[in-house]
Amino acid sequence: MSLEQQTPKKESAGAPSNMDSNRRESGKHSDTKQYLTFMLAEELYGIDILKVQEIRGWSHATQIPNAPKFIRGVLNLRGSVVPILDVRRRFTMPEVEFTAQTVVIVVNVANRTIGMIVDSVSDVVDLPIDELRPAPDFGSSIDSSFIQGLSPNGDDMVILINVEDMLKGCDLVKVDELEKMVADVE
Amino acid sequence: MNIDISQFYETFLAEASEHLADLESGLLEAETSGEADMDSIFRAAHSIKGGAGTFGFDEIAEFTHVVESVLQDARDGLLELKDDVISQLLRSIDVIAELIAAAKEGRKADINTKQDVFEALSAFLGKTAAEIKTKDTDDGTDMTQSDEHSYYSVKFEPHLNMCQTGSDPINIFKELKETCSFSCTCNTSEIPDLNEIDPHSLYLSWEIELETTATQEIIEDAFIFVEDEANIVIEPIAAISLGSPEKIAENSKVALKSKSNGAVKKQGSETAFIRIAVDKVDGLINLIGELVTTNAMVELQMRGIDGEEHRNLINSICEMTSHTRNLQEGIMAIRMMPIEFAFSRFPRMVRDTSQKLNKKINFVTKGGQTELDRTVIEKISDPLTHLVRNSIDHGIETPEERLSAGKSEEGEILLHAYYKGGNVIIDIKDDGKGLDKDSILKKAIEKGLTTEDANLSDNEIYNFIFNNGFSTAKAVTDVSGRGVGMDVVARNIKALNGSISIASVPGKGTTFCISLPLTLAIVDGMATKVGDQTYIIPLLNIIESIRPEKDKIRTLNNNVEMIQIRGEYLPLLRLKETFTVEKSTGEDELGRGIAVIVESEHNKIAIFVDELLGEQQVVIKSLESNYKTVEGVSGATILGDGNVALILDLPGIVRLSQREGRYHTVKKNSKAVINQMNKIQQESMNENTHIDLRDLEIDVHSDLIKHEQPHVKHN
C-alpha cells in the first residue's frame, strides 16, 4: 500500500504496441515511470508500480482442482480469496525451492487481485519512458508478447512485463473479457 | 443553500412503491372483508401524489390525484367501494406502478390503459376527465372555500410525550386561526403535583370551538402532523350554518382519531426502519466475516498459552469471542427481512388469476413475520408465484366440481412460513383435487423416465413433475400447463441450497413444502480431508458417511467403481483423483478412508475422502471475483487457521463423476496423463496459444493420450 502512495503521478499505462511509436514521437520527453523490480532466475524484471497492491511472503496455498500447473492455488488475503500465479512456471523456467526471499507480489489487474510468486523483490526504480527498447523478436521460439520493453538501469537491464498480457494466456479470465476490461480501464 | 433535488428521486420512488403496495393491500382487504382502513389507504395515495408533485413527476401527480379523489369520496362515504370501483382502483395501481418504473429508468411510460382508467375513475367522481385535468392539482383552491359557515368542536388531547417529538400545539392553533375564528378552553386537570412534574411532558388538553368557512379537511390538515401523538376528535356541531344540513350530516363523525390498530401499525413501521444502502450492509457482513476468522485464529493461538500465567488474556479472548458471535448474529439480522415482502404480491395475483379462471379462492397467509435473508426472499418470489399459480390452476377445482365433491364452493390456498431447525419452511397448501398419480406415472413412462414395472413410492412419482417439460395438463392455458414451470421452480430452490417436497391426497389437496436455509452467506458444511487439502461438503446434501469395505466395491467394465450400500449401487468418486490432489497421505486405501454418500438433483453418489474433520459453519467467499468458475467447486471459505478451503458444488461433482469413466480408465497412468497434459499446456503457451484443458479428449482404450482437435485459440 505504501508503495502506491509513493507514486506521484499517474500516467496512462501505455499499451505495449504503442510503446515504440511513442518513443520515436516523443523523443524529447524525459518522463519517468515507477517500476517495481524483482528477480527471477538471476534476471531483473519490472512491473508498473501502479498495478501493485502489496507484497507478502509466500505461504502454502490451497490447490485448485484441475487448474493449470502455474496456478499454485488460492491464498487468503485479508478475507478475499486470491489466486497465486507461479511466474517461474508460467515462463517455463526451472523450479527452485521456495526460500525466505520468495515473495508474492499482489497485483490489481482488470478489477481482479492476483498474486505472483517471484524469487525476490529488489527495488522501486524510476525509468525514463523514452528509453524503453522494444523486446527483440525471438521468432516463435520464445513468447515475448508480454514483454513491454527493455530498459537500461545503470549497468543492468530491466525486462518490463505487462501484467495484463501475461495473464491473457493464463486461463484466468476469458481472453475477450480481459481485453474488454483493459480497454475500459484505458 | 443549493440542494440537488435529484438525489432524493430514488428515495421518493422507492417510497412511492411501498405506498403503492400499502394501497394495493388495503384495497384488497376492502374487497374481501368489505371494510377497510380507508384512512391509511387514502394516506398512501396522498403521499404518492404529494411526493410526485414535490419532485416534479407531474404525470404521476396528476394521475394519482384522481385516484386520491375517488378514495377521498370513498372515505367520506360519498362513494361506495363496490367491486367495479375497486377493480378500477387496482388497475390504476398498475398504471402508477408503471409510471414509477418509467421514472426510475428515465424512460417514457408505456401504458395504453392510462386514459381508460383515468376516465373510469373520473366517472365515479361524476366529473369528466377534462374537468379534473384542468383543475389545479393543489387541492387548496377550490375545495377549501365555500360560503357556508360551519361550527366544529375539536377535542385535542395530546399524549404526554408530544412536545418531545418537536410538535408544538401553539403552531397548530396559529394555523387554525388563519382560517377560523376560534375559542378554546384549556383543560389543566391532568397537571400533577409539582414534585411529580416531568418538565418534558405535556399535561394539557384543549377543547376548541371553531367557526369557519373552510371544510373539515382544512381543520384536519392542521392536526395532520400530530395525529399519531394525540387523541383528536373533530365533530361538526349545531347546524346553524348557512349551508345545507345534509352536508354536515354527511360529514359527521369522520374523525381523525388515532385508531388503536392503525396507530400500532404505524408506530411499528415508521419508527422501526431506516433506509440503508445494501452495499453498506454487505460491506459490514464482509467485515464481520473477517472478524470471525481472525477471532478463530486468535483462539487457535490461545491453545498454546499457559493458562495459569495468562489467565486474564485468556478471559479477555473468551469475552471477545462471545462479543464477536453476538455481533455476527446482529449484523446477519440486518439483512433479514420478513417474508411478508414476498407474500404481499400474492393476494392480487390470486384475485386476478382466480377471476380469470372463474374459481373462488380464499387466500390465506401465515407466518409473514418469519425472517429470511434478503437475497433468499428476492429469489424465492418467482418459484412461489409459480407454485401458487399452479395451485389455483391445477389444484383448486371449479365451484361446481367442488360442490359435487361435497366441499365448500370456495377453495383455500394457504401460504405458511415457519422456522424448523436452522431452516425456514414455506408450505403452499391447497384443498383441491390433489395430484393425479396415475396420469403422472403414465406420462413419466411415456417420457421414458421410468418403466411400467418399476416399484415407485408415491413421493418418487410426484417428483417426476419437477422434470423438464413435464405437464399433465390437458390443455395449455395462459396461466399454466406448458410444463416449463416446475423444473424451474425446483432448480431455483436448489440454487438457494433449499429443497422441495410434495404431499398429496387425492380429493383432499396438495402441499408443496419448501425448505430454505436462513442465509446464503453461510453454509453448514462437513470439513473433509483429502491429502493435505480440506474440502467442505454442504451438510444439506450429505445422507450418510460410511467406511466402505473392500468387497463392497465393484468395478464395471469401464473401470468405473461402484459401491454397494444396502443393496443400492452408487458410483464412487475418489476426490483425490477427480481433483488431482497432490501429496496424498496414503489414507486413500479403501477400508481406511471414508465414503460420504451425497444426493444432488436426485442423483446419489459416494465421494471418497481420506477423513472427516467435523461439521462447521463456513462463510462463503467467491472464487470467481479474482479467479474463475471451477468445475465442481461452488466457492471457497477461510478456515480458522487462515487457510482457504474449497466448498464442493455437488451438482458439478455429479457431472464430473458422470464423465469420470475416461479419467478412471487411465487411472494407473493418471500421473503420466497429468504430466502429459501439463506438457501440452506449456507447449501451447510457448506457441502463444491457449488450450482449454477440458477440451482435451483422452482416449479411454489406450494408455496414450491423443488430443483430438483440441480447442486452440490464437491470441
Side-chain angles (χ1 to χ4, degrees):
Chain A
M1 280 310 188
S2 62
L3 290 171
E4 256 177 303
Q5 283 151 12
Q6 283 172 17
T7 54
K9 45 191 175 274
K10 192 169 182 137
E11 280 146 316
S12 67
S17 52
N18 306 335
M19 212 30 98
D20 55 354
S21 63
N22 253 355
R23 187 172 61 93
R24 264 179 255 125
E25 279 162 21
S26 54
K28 287 165 216 98
H29 280 263
S30 59
D31 278 348
T32 59
K33 222 173 149 177
Q34 286 195 309
Y35 285 87
L36 174 74
T37 59
F38 57 87
M39 295 301 291
L40 206 61
E42 318 290 313
E43 291 294 343
L44 195 59
Y45 289 80
I47 55 171
D48 184 354
I49 196 137
L50 293 176
K51 303 257 182 338
V52 178
Q53 181 186 316
E54 63 183 280
I55 297 167
R56 53 168 288 162
W58 159 253
S59 54
H60 185 71
T62 299
Q63 194 198 328
I64 300 180
N66 304 323
K69 207 171 178 221
F70 52 76
I71 299 291
R72 279 280 184 166
V74 283
L75 273 185
N76 163 25
L77 189 75
R78 286 189 304 282
S80 51
V81 176
V82 174
I84 305 296
L85 176 85
D86 187 331
V87 185
R88 267 182 178 269
R89 285 186 182 174
R90 175 72 183 88
F91 291 171
T92 53
M93 292 170 176
E95 290 187 29
V96 288
E97 284 285 305
F98 289 161
T99 66
Q101 244 90 60
T102 309
V103 292
V104 178
I105 303 176
V106 180
V107 293
N108 264 316
V109 189
N111 293 327
R112 269 154 210 265
T113 311
I114 288 159
M116 305 182 350
I117 306 178
V118 299
D119 291 358
S120 63
V121 278
S122 310
D123 204 355
V124 176
V125 292
D126 289 297
L127 297 176
I129 294 175
D130 47 354
E131 281 182 34
L132 267 188
R133 316 268 155 77
D137 189 1
F138 297 108
S140 61
S141 59
I142 294 173
D143 180 12
S144 59
S145 67
F146 41 76
I147 298 181
Q148 189 179 344
L150 307 172
S151 177
N153 179 34
D155 298 337
D156 230 341
M157 183 193 68
V158 186
I159 305 166
L160 300 182
I161 289 179
N162 185 315
V163 188
E164 282 96 343
D165 286 337
M166 189 174 76
L167 295 179
K168 269 181 201 167
C170 287
D171 199 24
L172 276 177
V173 197
K174 282 199 191 101
V175 177
D176 46 344
E177 191 188 338
L178 187 81
E179 271 164 1
K180 190 181 158 290
M181 280 195 247
V182 173
D184 287 349
V185 172
E186 280 165 7
Chain B
M1 200 165 58
N2 194 6
I3 299 175
D4 178 15
I5 204 168
S6 62
Q7 62 178 308
F8 301 115
Y9 285 177
E10 208 173 307
T11 316
F12 157 68
L13 292 170
E15 273 175 3
S17 303
E18 279 169 24
H19 287 311
L20 213 53
D22 288 348
L23 193 58
E24 183 171 321
S25 60
L27 283 171
L28 288 167
E29 196 187 320
E31 189 182 38
T32 47
S33 67
E35 59 183 72
D37 186 358
M38 284 312 293
D39 284 340
S40 75
I41 298 176
F42 176 74
R43 199 157 43 217
H46 186 74
S47 305
I48 297 172
K49 189 193 84 172
T54 311
F55 293 108
F57 297 106
D58 292 337
E59 210 180 351
I60 302 177
E62 193 181 283
F63 186 83
T64 316
H65 177 70
V66 194
V67 178
E68 188 196 354
S69 306
V70 172
L71 287 170
Q72 188 180 9
D73 281 1
R75 183 186 72 169
D76 297 348
L78 298 175
L79 181 72
E80 199 185 334
L81 271 186
K82 281 189 287 217
D83 283 357
D84 56 335
V85 181
I86 289 181
S87 289
Q88 288 302 337
L89 284 171
L90 286 172
R91 285 178 69 196
S92 78
I93 286 171
D94 295 338
V95 174
I96 299 171
E98 168 60 19
L99 289 170
I100 291 172
K104 227 177 239 171
E105 290 155 28
R107 62 183 164 85
K108 214 170 148 34
D110 169 31
I111 322 165
N112 33 28
T113 54
K114 186 183 156 203
Q115 199 56 31
D116 255 18
V117 180
F118 190 85
E119 275 162 16
L121 287 176
S122 307
F124 295 132
L125 291 173
K127 301 170 189 170
T128 67
E131 272 171 44
I132 292 179
K133 256 192 170 159
T134 52
K135 207 184 77 176
D136 194 342
T137 36
D138 180 2
D139 42 10
T141 48
D142 70 351
M143 293 168 72
T144 57
Q145 298 301 328
S146 67
D147 294 333
E148 306 162 12
H149 278 251
S150 336
Y151 297 84
Y152 296 94
S153 100
V154 179
K155 272 198 196 114
F156 177 41
E157 296 164 355
H159 300 163
L160 284 182
N161 58 0
M162 189 182 98
C163 290
Q164 291 165 22
T165 58
S167 308
D168 189 343
I170 303 281
N171 290 336
I172 298 167
F173 300 149
K174 275 185 187 156
E175 191 178 335
L176 285 174
K177 261 189 170 169
E178 284 171 17
T179 46
C180 316
S181 56
F182 167 100
S183 73
C184 157
T185 7
C186 181
N187 181 358
T188 55
S189 61
E190 295 295 316
I191 299 177
D193 290 342
L194 195 56
N195 56 357
E196 286 170 15
I197 278 188
D198 171 8
H200 297 293
S201 294
L202 179 65
Y203 297 99
L204 304 177
S205 60
W206 289 271
E207 277 180 29
I208 309 163
E209 279 179 18
L210 297 169
E211 183 192 347
T212 179
T213 55
T215 59
Q216 182 166 342
E217 197 177 73
I218 295 297
I219 303 167
E220 288 170 2
D221 276 353
F223 290 100
I224 198 148
F225 293 114
V226 294
E227 58 177 307
D228 286 331
E229 293 161 347
N231 296 324
I232 303 157
V233 181
I234 302 172
E235 278 176 34
I237 46 164
I240 335 163
S241 71
L242 304 168
S244 62
E246 296 93 324
K247 180 91 183 166
I248 292 162
E250 274 167 6
N251 283 349
S252 67
K253 283 232 173 173
V254 188
L256 258 172
K257 61 180 184 272
S258 50
K259 273 193 193 168
S260 59
N261 62 343
V264 170
K265 230 194 255 168
K266 258 197 118 171
Q267 268 175 3
S269 62
E270 277 185 13
T271 56
F273 284 119
I274 54 169
R275 222 170 260 281
I276 313 174
V278 175
D279 50 352
K280 279 190 193 166
V281 178
D282 287 348
L284 273 181
I285 286 177
N286 281 338
L287 268 179
I288 198 75
E290 299 313 297
L291 187 60
V292 170
T293 313
T294 320
N295 189 71
M297 287 182 206
V298 173
E299 279 199 307
L300 213 67
Q301 307 278 321
M302 189 178 83
R303 287 183 201 161
I305 290 177
D306 179 8
E308 278 303 302
E309 206 176 326
H310 300 282
R311 196 184 317 144
N312 286 343
L313 177 65
I314 289 174
N315 284 346
S316 311
I317 291 174
C318 292
E319 207 161 297
M320 187 178 80
T321 306
S322 99
H323 288 324
T324 309
R325 196 158 298 143
N326 290 341
L327 192 60
Q328 184 192 19
E329 276 166 21
I331 286 182
M332 285 305 186
I334 295 180
R335 260 169 75 115
M336 298 299 205
M337 276 177 19
I339 200 163
E340 193 73 60
F341 284 88
F343 283 1
S344 61
R345 64 151 109 163
F346 291 121
R348 173 77 189 278
M349 196 224 35
V350 172
R351 173 190 181 274
D352 291 356
T353 316
S354 59
Q355 276 186 0
K356 202 183 289 171
L357 297 168
N358 284 324
K359 293 182 180 178
K360 290 196 175 164
I361 286 164
N362 175 26
F363 182 72
V364 186
T365 62
K366 267 163 85 178
Q369 289 310 308
T370 311
E371 289 194 326
L372 261 177
D373 191 282
R374 214 186 107 258
T375 33
V376 180
I377 290 192
E378 278 167 11
K379 289 184 182 153
I380 198 67
S381 290
D382 282 340
L384 278 183
T385 312
H386 235 108
L387 290 171
V388 172
R389 197 177 286 162
N390 265 328
S391 290
I392 302 169
D393 194 20
H394 304 310
I396 305 282
E397 313 91 325
T398 58
E400 299 81 50
E401 279 170 352
R402 287 186 67 88
L403 284 175
S404 61
K407 296 194 225 182
S408 72
E409 195 182 25
E410 193 180 56
E412 184 176 282
I413 293 178
L414 170 72
L415 211 52
H416 185 194
Y418 53 96
Y419 295 106
K420 190 174 170 191
N423 291 318
V424 167
I425 312 287
I426 306 170
D427 285 343
I428 301 104
K429 186 177 178 201
D430 67 59
D431 65 348
K433 55 179 174 268
L435 290 175
D436 185 350
K437 203 161 69 181
D438 296 335
S439 73
I440 293 174
L441 194 59
K442 211 174 121 213
K443 189 89 181 180
I445 294 167
E446 221 171 86
K447 291 204 142 229
L449 296 166
T450 182
T451 50
E452 254 168 84
D453 49 359
N455 190 12
L456 295 169
S457 70
D458 286 2
N459 244 322
E460 281 169 314
I461 295 172
Y462 294 147
N463 276 327
F464 283 126
I465 65 170
F466 293 119
N467 278 301
N468 190 10
F470 200 96
S471 175
T472 57
K474 289 178 190 74
V476 172
T477 68
D478 62 343
V479 179
S480 50
R482 284 176 213 281
V484 284
M486 290 310 261
D487 65 312
V488 178
V489 168
R491 210 165 46 230
N492 287 355
I493 290 168
K494 286 274 155 58
L496 292 168
N497 285 329
S499 62
I500 181 165
S501 61
I502 311 170
S504 182
V505 182
K508 293 272 193 238
T510 309
T511 304
F512 288 91
C513 176
I514 301 174
S515 164
L516 291 169
L518 284 173
T519 168
L520 285 185
I522 289 182
V523 71
D524 276 317
M526 173 65 76
T528 63
K529 199 150 193 79
V530 180
D532 59 347
Q533 303 287 328
T534 306
Y535 294 102
I536 310 284
I537 303 176
L539 213 53
L540 197 76
N541 299 83
I542 298 182
I543 300 169
E544 59 180 330
S545 303
I546 56 159
R547 195 180 286 273
E549 290 155 33
K550 227 177 186 125
D551 58 349
K552 295 282 187 212
I553 311 272
R554 296 275 183 284
T555 311
L556 297 188
N557 57 346
N558 253 5
N559 281 352
V560 177
E561 285 179 301
M562 308 282 272
I563 184 168
Q564 187 196 2
I565 290 158
R566 285 191 275 289
E568 206 177 356
Y569 280 97
L570 304 176
L572 179 77
L573 177 131
R574 292 171 189 252
L575 207 54
K576 191 186 74 162
E577 282 160 20
T578 317
F579 279 1
T580 59
V581 177
E582 296 163 4
K583 288 188 205 158
S584 184
T585 52
E587 290 284 338
D588 60 309
E589 280 302 304
L590 287 170
R592 296 181 74 181
I594 302 277
V596 183
I597 318 295
V598 295
E599 181 172 25
S600 161
E601 294 175 344
H602 310 303
N603 290 311
K604 271 193 203 171
I605 62 166
I607 298 179
F608 194 70
V609 298
D610 292 356
E611 58 178 309
L612 301 182
L613 297 177
E615 269 180 53
Q616 66 185 98
Q617 281 203 329
V618 295
V619 180
I620 301 173
K621 300 271 178 185
S622 155
L623 206 57
E624 285 102 73
S625 59
N626 289 319
Y627 189 57
K628 57 168 190 172
T629 320
V630 179
E631 198 168 26
V633 173
S634 66
T637 189
I638 291 161
L639 298 171
D641 59 4
N643 279 328
V644 179
L646 300 180
I647 302 167
L648 300 190
D649 166 43
L650 289 169
I653 293 271
V654 170
R655 276 196 298 278
L656 271 178
S657 84
Q658 284 161 354
R659 283 210 310 261
E660 191 69 343
R662 60 180 178 223
Y663 288 98
H664 264 280
T665 47
V666 286
K667 194 171 60 187
K668 283 187 197 120
N669 301 294
S670 58
K671 269 268 150 34
V673 171
I674 291 152
N675 287 342
Q676 192 77 18
M677 289 207 288
N678 279 325
K679 209 167 148 204
I680 292 164
Q681 175 111 2
Q682 296 287 10
E683 275 166 14
S684 68
M685 240 149 41
N686 293 343
E687 290 157 21
N688 194 18
T689 51
H690 165 199
I691 295 184
D692 192 338
L693 260 183
R694 279 164 299 192
D695 292 328
L696 284 174
E697 284 290 331
I698 299 167
D699 190 338
V700 286
H701 295 301
S702 87
D703 289 342
L704 293 172
I705 304 151
K706 281 193 264 175
H707 61 263
E708 299 174 354
Q709 311 226 315
H711 183 57
V712 180
K713 275 185 216 156
H714 288 270
N715 287 352

